[in-house]
Amino acid sequence: MENKKIFIIAVIIVVAVAGFFKYNSAEKAPENSSLAESKRELKNLRLIYMKDAGDIAFLIEFAQDKNFFRRNNLNAELNPVTNKAVNILVAGEADVTITGLTGPLSMYLNGADLRWLASSFRNFSYFGVSRFSKENASQIKKAAVNEFGKEPHFAMIAVLKNLGVDPDKVEILAVPFVSQGAMLDKGEIDFALLPSEKFLDSTKAEDKHYVFEPSDILKDFNSPRSIITTKKAIDKKPEELRSFVLAVREALEYIPDHPDEVKNYIQQKYGFSAERTQKTFDLFVQSEKNMDFLPQKEHINGIIDLVVKEAKPSDPNRDISGFIYADFAKEAMVKADK
Amino acid sequence: MKNNFFSFINKYRLSIVSVFVFFIFWEIISRLRLVDPLFISSPSKIFLAGKDLVMSGEIFPHLAASLEALVLGFVLAVAIGVIAGLLIGFSKTLRSIFLPYVFALNSLPMVAVVPLIIIWLGIGLYAKVAVVFFMSLSPILINTIDGFQNLDKKLIEMAKSFGASPFFTLRTVTFLSIMPFIFSGLKIAIGKSIIGLVVGEAFGYGKGLGFLVTFYGNTFQVARLMFIILILLVISLIATNLVAKIEKKIINWKE
C-alpha cells in the first residue's frame, strides 16, 4: 500500500515537472516571435530518400544545409531511410523523393499513381569492386547486389554488359553491403556494386581489389536520379512541390559554380580525403552535364525495356505519358535561369 | 474416397464457409476500391497470378529450394532443441548456466545477424538452413525446459515409491509428461521457421519462396507476392497439422 502511494506521488511529480518545462518553452516563444513567425510562413514538405545512395544524399543534404529549401519557403522534413523509400511515398507517408527511375517505373507499370517531376543528374555513386581487372572481367561468375528487385539489381545487368560480360552467364546474388567486402576477400563473389564511396572505405576495397568508377560502368544505364511524387501529393501540395523542384534546380546550378565551397562541404560533412572529395565533385559535375532537367519519355526507353523484361509488371503497356508531370520542371528552368 | 472427402468437408464446414466468406468479402471491397488494390490486390488477381506461376512452372524450383532449407533447418532444430532442452531442464546447474543464452537467442533479431551468418557460412544452402535453425530453436528449447518446470512432482514420487529406477522414471514419467510442452514448442517453431526462411532467402542465389517475396515486394508485384504468402501459409498449416497428428499418436492418453 505504501509502495503504491509512493509510486502515485512519483508519477504526479514527473508529470508536473514535464508540464512545467513544456509551459516554460511555450512561454518563451514570443521572444523568438520572428523565428516562430517565419517558421509558420514556411510550407512543410516530407522528403524521403535512401541514405546509402551517396549521390542523392549529398544533393539533398547540401540543399538543406545551404538553405535552398528555406529560400523557397519550404520547411523540408528530411527522412533518410535504408529501404523502401518509394513504397513509403506510395503509402502516403512522404510527399516527394529523389531516386533512380527503375523502382518508380516498375511501380507505375504495376498500377501506382506516381509522377516523375524532373531529372537531376545521372547516377554517379555506384562503384564496382572486382576481384578481376577490366581485361579479365570475363572471369566474373558471381556478382553481388544488396537486394533483389531494386535499382542496383537492374543496374548490374547494364554494368556487366559495359564490362564486356554476358549477364546471362553470371549469377547475380543478393549479399548485404556489410558482408560484401568479406565475401570478395574470400572469393565467394567476384564483383560487387556498392552504392556509395562510404562503402569503399569500410570495405578497404581500393587496397585489395579493382575499383571501377561510375563513369566506367554506368555508361548505358540511363536511369537519372529523379524527383518523384504521387498524384495525391500534387493535388494536395502543388505549391510545395513546385518550390521543391525549383530549390533542387537552384542547388544543381549552384554546385558546379562554387567548387571550393562545395568541396569544403563534402570534406567536412562526409570525412572524405582530399583526393576522394575532388573525385566526388568531378563525378557530380560530369553527371550533371548535358542532363535534361525536364522529364521526357525518349530519354528512358532503354530503362522501360529493362524494367518490363526483368520486373515483369502487371501492366507493361501502361501509357508512360501519365507518369510524366513536367510543369514544375518547366517553371523551375525559367525561374532559375533568370 | 468420396465418403472421406464429404466427411472432411462436413467436419470442417464452418472453417471452409468462413474462409469462403472472407474471400468473397475481400473481392467485393477490392472491386469497389474500398481498399487500394495496389497494396492488397484481390483474390481473383491473386488466383490468376498463381495460375501463371504454376502453369509456367516458374514456382517449382523455388518451392523445392525452400522446402529443402525448411526441412533441414527445422529437423536440426528439433533434434538439437529437444536434446539440449532435456539436458538443461533436467539439471539445475545447466539451467543456471544456459538459461540467459536461451532467452537471448529468443530475442535475437535475425535480420541483423544474417550478414554475419553469410560471412561465416557463405551464400547458399548452409546459411539458409542456419537461419531457419536459429529461428526454430528457441521455442523448442524454451518449451522443453518449461516442461520440466511444470512437472508434477507427485508422479515422480509415486514412481519412486513403486520402486522405479531413476532412468525408468526419466524415460517414462518425466519424458512423457513434458511431451505436450515439446509439441507446443514445435507448433510455435513452425511459424518461426517460415519467417526464418523468408529472411534467409532474401539473400543468396535468387532461389526460393523468400527470394520471390523480396523480389515481388520490391518490384511491387502485389498479386504474385500475395500468392507466395498464401503458399507459405499453406506450408505452415500442413506442417502444423502433421505435428498435431504425430502428437495425437504419441500422447494418446490425453483424450
Side-chain angles (χ1 to χ4, degrees):
Chain A
M1 194 63 181
E2 275 300 313
N3 285 342
K4 210 174 174 181
K5 279 187 194 162
I6 293 168
F7 176 72
I8 291 167
I9 292 167
V11 168
I12 292 169
I13 291 170
V14 165
V15 168
V17 167
F20 173 76
F21 280 112
K22 196 169 166 74
Y23 176 71
N24 263 354
S25 66
E27 272 210 328
K28 274 192 179 131
E31 285 176 36
N32 302 319
S33 60
S34 61
L35 179 65
E37 248 182 64
S38 69
K39 258 197 173 164
R40 277 197 292 275
E41 283 168 7
L42 295 176
K43 289 166 275 186
N44 292 326
L45 192 74
R46 297 169 303 170
L47 166 59
I48 196 158
Y49 64 101
M50 297 289 289
K51 71 183 185 89
D52 287 335
D55 50 0
I56 295 171
F58 158 64
L59 174 65
I60 288 171
E61 286 160 10
F62 181 84
Q64 174 81 326
D65 293 342
K66 298 292 179 181
N67 292 319
F68 282 92
F69 298 133
R70 275 186 167 272
R71 281 207 283 271
N72 286 282
N73 298 321
L74 271 182
N75 178 32
E77 183 192 307
L78 266 51
N79 296 298
V81 295
T82 53
N83 214 339
K84 308 263 187 271
V86 188
N87 299 59
I88 295 168
L89 177 75
V90 170
E93 297 299 312
D95 301 314
V96 70
T97 185
I98 298 181
T99 185
L101 270 181
T102 52
L105 249 177
S106 175
M107 286 195 186
Y108 176 78
L109 294 174
N110 275 308
D113 249 342
L114 291 168
R115 296 292 182 266
W116 176 19
L117 297 183
S119 295
S120 52
F121 51 85
R122 278 176 293 280
N123 184 326
F124 70 86
S125 75
Y126 287 167
F127 286 80
V129 182
S130 173
R131 291 177 57 232
F132 304 104
S133 62
K134 244 189 225 165
E135 293 72 37
N136 296 317
S138 56
Q139 294 186 56
I140 294 171
K141 296 291 175 227
K142 290 183 189 174
V145 294
N146 183 51
E147 212 175 332
F148 292 115
K150 292 276 183 79
E151 178 144 297
H153 183 189
F154 299 119
M156 179 63 87
I157 295 163
V159 163
L160 290 170
K161 283 182 185 166
N162 280 331
L163 290 172
V165 180
D166 183 355
D168 292 333
K169 296 205 166 108
V170 174
E171 269 212 270
I172 297 179
L173 313 159
V175 177
F177 286 133
V178 294
S179 313
Q180 284 178 5
M183 303 308 282
L184 276 165
D185 295 343
K186 284 162 91 176
E188 294 250 11
I189 56 175
D190 303 318
F191 184 87
L193 204 57
L194 300 177
S196 158
E197 298 98 312
K198 291 188 296 195
F199 293 95
L200 288 179
D201 289 337
S202 62
T203 58
K204 305 231 185 304
E206 284 164 311
D207 300 335
K208 293 183 272 190
H209 305 292
Y210 297 94
V211 175
F212 302 137
E213 300 280 329
S215 48
D216 292 333
I217 56 174
L218 293 173
K219 271 192 300 246
D220 300 317
F221 184 67
N222 194 15
S223 173
R225 301 308 210 181
S226 301
I227 302 175
I228 302 290
T229 187
T230 59
K231 183 179 176 297
K232 250 192 211 159
I234 292 175
D235 292 339
K236 224 173 142 190
K237 294 186 175 184
E239 290 310 314
E240 290 88 333
L241 289 168
R242 181 179 279 113
S243 301
F244 179 77
V245 172
L246 178 58
V248 168
R249 175 73 183 179
E250 286 172 354
L252 286 169
E253 292 194 335
Y254 185 88
I255 290 168
D257 293 342
H258 299 81
D260 291 335
E261 183 188 343
V262 173
K263 281 187 272 188
N264 199 38
Y265 174 86
I266 293 171
Q267 205 159 10
Q268 284 190 353
K269 180 92 177 176
Y270 304 114
F272 288 168
S273 64
E275 195 192 335
R276 178 49 62 193
T277 298
Q278 183 65 50
K279 266 190 183 166
T280 302
F281 180 78
D282 291 341
L283 279 169
F284 178 85
V285 170
Q286 193 65 31
S287 72
E288 229 205 328
K289 233 183 213 166
N290 303 323
M291 186 72 232
D292 198 343
F293 193 65
L294 278 180
Q296 292 186 68
K297 183 182 180 271
E298 296 70 44
H299 296 164
I300 59 165
N301 282 330
I303 291 292
I304 297 171
D305 291 341
L306 182 66
V307 165
V308 166
K309 185 181 172 218
E310 298 297 328
K312 298 186 180 56
S314 59
D315 190 359
N317 299 316
R318 191 177 180 192
D319 188 2
I320 292 293
S321 58
F323 179 55
I324 296 169
Y325 190 93
D327 291 358
F328 297 154
K330 284 179 188 159
E331 289 172 30
M333 285 170 75
V334 168
K335 270 196 183 149
D337 291 347
K338 275 182 189 163
Chain B
M1 185 105 153
K2 214 175 172 182
N3 280 335
N4 279 341
F5 175 72
F6 283 125
S7 68
F8 173 84
I9 297 286
N10 193 45
K11 190 178 177 188
Y12 295 106
R13 62 183 180 279
L14 269 176
S15 307
I16 291 168
V17 167
S18 150
V19 168
F20 188 67
V21 166
F22 170 72
F23 279 122
I24 297 287
F25 176 69
W26 180 1
E27 184 71 30
I28 290 169
I29 60 171
S30 294
R31 285 189 187 231
L32 292 175
R33 297 236 153 196
L34 295 173
V35 289
D36 194 336
L38 199 59
F39 294 116
I40 204 156
S41 197
S42 66
S44 53
K45 284 190 179 150
I46 295 168
F47 172 75
L48 287 171
K51 187 173 147 236
D52 261 339
L53 285 172
V54 168
M55 298 305 277
S56 64
E58 199 179 322
I59 190 89
F60 297 113
H62 296 289
L63 186 61
S66 287
L67 287 174
E68 184 185 14
L70 196 62
V71 167
L72 285 173
F74 187 76
V75 165
L76 204 61
V78 170
I80 292 176
V82 170
I83 294 169
L86 288 172
L87 290 170
I88 294 170
F90 185 68
S91 159
K92 223 174 177 175
T93 311
L94 288 177
R95 240 190 344 264
S96 304
I97 295 169
F98 287 107
L99 219 49
Y101 300 105
V102 170
F103 288 123
L105 181 68
N106 194 43
S107 317
L108 200 63
M110 200 46 62
V111 173
V113 176
V114 162
L116 285 173
I117 292 177
I118 286 174
I119 292 173
W120 296 330
L121 299 174
I123 332 139
L125 183 62
Y126 292 153
K128 285 201 286 186
V129 169
V131 176
V132 171
F133 168 74
F134 281 118
M135 285 293 281
S136 318
L137 185 65
S138 55
I140 298 171
L141 260 177
I142 290 171
N143 271 49
T144 307
I145 295 167
D146 250 357
F148 270 97
Q149 307 285 80
N150 288 283
L151 212 47
D152 189 347
K153 301 279 188 286
K154 290 197 182 108
L155 286 174
I156 310 286
E157 282 164 21
M158 192 166 71
K160 268 190 188 157
S161 71
F162 278 107
S165 68
F167 179 70
F168 183 83
T169 310
L170 184 73
R171 191 167 55 86
T172 52
V173 179
T174 308
F175 190 62
L176 290 177
S177 294
I178 65 173
M179 282 295 247
F181 291 89
I182 292 175
F183 276 99
S184 285
L186 292 188
K187 285 176 204 162
I188 299 169
I190 285 166
K192 290 195 95 179
S193 67
I194 301 277
I195 296 169
L197 179 74
V198 172
V199 169
E201 286 183 333
F203 300 103
Y205 282 97
K207 281 203 180 83
L209 298 176
F211 154 72
L212 291 179
V213 165
T214 307
F215 184 76
Y216 292 150
N218 285 336
T219 52
F220 236 63
Q221 298 181 63
V222 180
R224 287 180 166 211
L225 170 64
M226 301 214 70
F227 179 73
I228 301 300
I229 291 170
L230 211 65
I231 293 184
L232 289 166
L233 266 170
V234 167
I235 292 173
S236 178
L237 272 168
I238 291 172
T240 309
N241 262 300
L242 198 62
V243 166
K245 278 200 159 68
I246 297 171
E247 183 186 15
K248 219 173 174 175
K249 275 213 156 74
I250 294 178
I251 317 176
N252 49 20
W253 73 85
K254 258 178 105 178
E255 306 254 327

